[in-house]
Amino acid sequence: MPGYRLRGAVRSEDGAIGAPLVDEVLSAADAKEAVRLANSRSLTIEDDTINALWLVDAGGTLLWSLRRADRDS
């Protein structure tokens, strides 16, 4: 199974994203499953300061991103 990385950080009001505070490897059969897992995992991150999440594949290509404020509105 390919590895995907879910990362999360604090995005400041000016849009700058800090160093990742979440850096997890997700194992999924394909990119579609990895996005589903990342979206599900985004609901269980307890650190409320983390407001930017993104998923990359093994080559570093961005597959998915989420501003948590968007999810909560």
Side-chain angles (χ1 to χ4, degrees):
M1 283 191 168
Y4 299 88
R5 293 188 86 95
L6 174 64
R7 294 185 171 151
V10 176
R11 174 181 289 173
S12 64
E13 289 185 20
D14 69 0
I17 296 177
L21 302 174
V22 170
D23 189 359
E24 300 177 4
V25 174
L26 301 179
S27 293
D30 57 27
K32 184 175 180 178
E33 181 184 0
V35 169
R36 184 185 61 74
L37 291 171
N39 196 29
S40 176
R41 176 68 179 102
S42 74
L43 300 173
T44 63
I45 293 174
E46 295 179 9
D47 186 340
D48 291 336
T49 63
I50 296 172
N51 56 4
L53 294 158
W54 65 98
L55 179 72
V56 296
D57 66 13
T61 302
L62 180 67
L63 301 175
W64 171 90
S65 67
L66 173 73
R67 285 185 351 187
R68 289 180 90 188
D70 290 347
R71 181 202 70 197
D72 295 335
S73 15

